[in-house]
Amino acid sequence: MIIFGLSVFYFMGLIGKGRFACPNCGGDRDYEHRTARRFFTLFFVPVIPLDKVGEVVRCQTCRVRFDPAVLAAPTSAQLASALPAGMRAAAAVILRAGGTSEAAVGAALAAVRSAGAEGYDVAHLQADVSRPAEAVVEPLRALAAHLTLDARERYLAEAARIGVADGALNPAEREALGWLASTLGLTPAHALGVITTVEQSARLG
């Protein structure tokens, strides 16, 4: 008796390898990105390659297969570097709008260092402020999609604290905060609540 049929195999067509955030393992793991192809089989052995049916990413630890879209999620290492980069962006945007007073600079340095960039200094800050706004904010825009709501609120709140460090927010600072809120995916009403809370805290403090 001859047994034949059609089956999909994932061992052909290696596209790439690397590290990714495995949703099943809950951590950074090695992966293989491969083409999934349908084969004509004879006695369950793939004999004739037929059409390509898609691509898969397979974790090399748990062996679970995922859609390639999973590679868009940052690894822990990538996120660790992205967090301070995002705070640098927020600090630069608000300082461009409100000026670089000693109090504002001090607040900006503290915010960025607390986000993970311990060696961040005035020279780095000045370089960030001098860059075009769109270029500066790009790291924050890329990071925002992977932040929780609480984290996005914190980034906006830190920017607002930098703005109020040397006094009440001016119109340009409010506009900058609105732009940052939009970049972070926060609604105007949500942003107003965060900013108002920071202002009230500054007045009481």
Side-chain angles (χ1 to χ4, degrees):
M1 180 176 63
I2 299 176
I3 301 175
F4 62 89
L6 297 175
S7 296
V8 175
F9 290 85
Y10 301 94
F11 60 83
M12 303 295 290
L14 179 64
I15 297 173
K17 297 181 177 182
R19 296 281 286 178
F20 82 129
C22 177
N24 189 59
C25 293
D28 296 348
R29 299 289 186 267
D30 291 331
Y31 73 85
E32 287 187 347
H33 184 184
R34 290 185 176 272
T35 298
R37 186 175 293 275
R38 186 177 287 110
F39 275 76
F40 175 81
T41 61
L42 183 62
F43 294 106
F44 307 106
V45 177
V47 176
I48 303 174
L50 301 175
D51 56 320
K52 175 182 173 182
V53 297
E55 297 176 5
V56 295
V57 169
R58 186 173 70 171
C59 176
Q60 295 296 86
T61 300
C62 67
R63 318 304 286 183
V64 174
R65 299 185 184 99
F66 304 95
D67 185 277
V70 74
L71 297 180
T75 64
S76 298
Q78 290 169 334
L79 195 58
S81 63
L83 291 174
M87 192 61 76
R88 288 177 67 165
V93 168
I94 195 66
L95 287 176
R96 285 168 63 93
T100 54
S101 68
E102 184 177 348
V105 167
L109 292 175
V112 176
R113 289 168 181 167
S114 68
E118 296 180 2
Y120 192 71
D121 59 21
V122 173
H124 294 126
L125 181 61
Q126 291 173 338
D128 286 343
V129 172
S130 66
R131 295 173 61 204
E134 277 296 332
V136 168
V137 83
E138 185 54 38
L140 184 60
R141 182 176 290 115
L143 175 65
H146 307 290
L147 293 175
T148 64
L149 179 60
D150 286 347
R152 285 181 278 145
E153 289 178 346
R154 186 174 72 82
Y155 273 78
L156 182 62
E158 288 291 354
R161 290 187 188 99
I162 295 169
V164 301
D166 55 2
L169 296 173
N170 64 37
E173 288 172 325
R174 291 188 183 280
E175 183 178 353
L177 288 171
W179 187 49
L180 285 172
S182 177
T183 299
L184 289 164
L186 299 175
T187 66
H190 196 155
L192 179 60
V194 173
I195 295 166
T196 300
T197 298
V198 171
E199 289 180 306
Q200 290 175 343
S201 178
R203 284 195 292 268
L204 294 174

